[in-house]
Amino acid sequence: MKKNVLITGSSRGIGRACALAFADRGYHVFINCRNSIAQLDAAARDIRSSGGTCTVLPGDVSNPDVVRSIFRTVSSECGGLDVLVNNAGRAYFGLITDMSDEDWREVIDTDLSSAFYCCREAIPYMVSRKRGKIINISSMWGTAGASCEAAYSAAKAGIHGLTKALAKELAPSNIQVNALACGVIDTEMNGHLTLEERAALEEEIPAGRYGTPQEAAAMILLLSESPSYLTGQIIGLDGGIL
C-alpha cells in the first residue's frame, strides 16, 4: 500500500528536494507552500513526469485554519499521514532592535507555530494506527544561536523543545519524532550573502562547502525509515561546524 507524506514549504530548496525523494521512494506526496505557487506546480509536474503521485495543497501553514483545511483534504484522500515533514520556514537578518513586532510574529509563526499546528492535526490519525514519523526541519542556530538572527534562532530552539516533548508524549503510541538541524545549505535562504561572505563562511565549515538540498532530503528520507527506537533526537547535518 502506498504511504503518504506531507511536506510543508516544498516549492523549493530542501522541501522540493524532499518531495522528489519521497515520490521516487513510492510515497504519495502532499506538497505545500504559501506564495511560490508556480514553483510548487513545477515541482508537481516533475514528480508526475517521473511516475510519482502528488497533491498540491497551497496555503499558509502559519494559519491554523488553513492547516485544518489542508488536513481535511488529506483525510478525504487517504485517511491520514504516515510521515509529516515540517519544513516551512523563513529567516530574518538584522539587529533585534530593528525588528518590528510583525517581523517577530511572522518568523515565530512560520518557523515554529506551523509545526505545532501540523503536528496537532496529524497526530490523531497516527495514534489510531499506532505508527507514524514526524520530522521537524531545524537549524544549527537552534542549538548555537546566530548573531542578527534572534527570532530564527529562537524559533528553531523552540522546534528542538517541541521535538523532544512530542517524542516522549507519542512514544507509547509508536510514533517517532526527530529533528534535522541543518547547517549552511545551498538554498535561496542564503542568497543574500555576497561572494565574499559566502567564501568566508565556507572557510568556517570543516567540510569546506555548503550542504545541498539533496543531502538534506536523503537524511530526511533516512529518518522516515529509521528504527522505532530512534526518537527525540536533534540530528546535525552541518559539515562538522558544531
Side-chain angles (χ1 to χ4, degrees), residues 23-138:
D24 285 344
R25 192 58 64 95
Y27 282 75
H28 180 81
V29 185
F30 293 91
I31 56 176
N32 156 268
C33 76
R34 179 174 60 179
N35 294 320
S36 305
I37 307 303
Q39 289 173 294
L40 193 68
D41 288 338
R45 287 194 297 272
D46 287 345
I47 289 170
R48 291 165 182 154
S49 68
S50 298
T53 63
C54 66
T55 301
V56 179
L57 294 175
D60 181 3
V61 289
S62 72
N63 182 327
D65 291 329
V66 171
V67 172
R68 280 187 277 267
S69 176
I70 286 172
F71 274 84
R72 281 194 293 270
T73 300
V74 171
S75 179
S76 68
E77 288 200 15
C78 63
L81 300 174
D82 297 283
V83 180
L84 168 64
V85 180
N86 287 309
N87 174 70
R90 71 178 300 271
Y92 176 94
F93 302 94
L95 297 172
I96 194 169
T97 48
D98 294 332
M99 193 173 202
S100 69
D101 296 346
E102 182 56 34
D103 288 332
W104 172 268
R105 281 193 297 268
E106 187 169 346
V107 172
I108 297 299
D109 286 348
T110 302
D111 291 31
L112 176 57
S113 298
S114 66
F116 162 69
Y117 298 143
C118 289
C119 286
R120 184 173 60 181
E121 296 301 315
I123 285 168
Y125 177 81
M126 291 182 176
V127 169
S128 74
R129 301 282 301 279
K130 292 294 187 289
R131 67 173 185 266
K133 302 278 189 182
I134 296 173
I135 303 160
N136 297 319
I137 309 308
S138 188

Side-chain angles (χ1 to χ4, degrees), residues 92 116 163 167 238 242:
Y92 176 94
F116 162 69
T163 297
D238 57 24
L242 290 187

Side-chain angles (χ1 to χ4, degrees), residues 140-224:
M140 63 182 181
W141 301 134
T143 301
S147 176
C148 295
E149 293 187 62
Y152 184 76
S153 299
K156 294 305 186 181
I159 286 289
H160 293 180
L162 179 67
T163 297
K164 289 181 174 293
L166 280 181
K168 292 176 180 177
E169 185 173 325
L170 298 174
S173 297
N174 191 35
I175 299 163
Q176 292 77 51
V177 188
N178 293 291
L180 185 65
C182 295
V184 186
I185 307 297
D186 199 3
T187 67
E188 289 182 28
M189 187 175 285
N190 294 305
H192 67 286
L193 297 172
T194 65
L195 291 176
E196 292 78 11
E197 290 170 334
R198 182 184 175 100
L201 186 53
E202 285 178 337
E203 289 182 1
E204 295 181 27
I205 302 170
R209 63 174 178 85
Y210 285 15
T212 69
Q214 290 72 28
E215 288 174 313
M219 274 301 305
I220 295 161
L221 197 58
L222 282 174
L223 286 173
S224 75

Side-chain angles (χ1 to χ4, degrees), residues 7-16 32-34 40 61 87-89:
I7 304 162
T8 64
S10 44
S11 63
R12 53 190 175 179
I14 292 173
R16 186 182 190 280
N32 156 268
C33 76
R34 179 174 60 179
L40 193 68
V61 289
N87 174 70

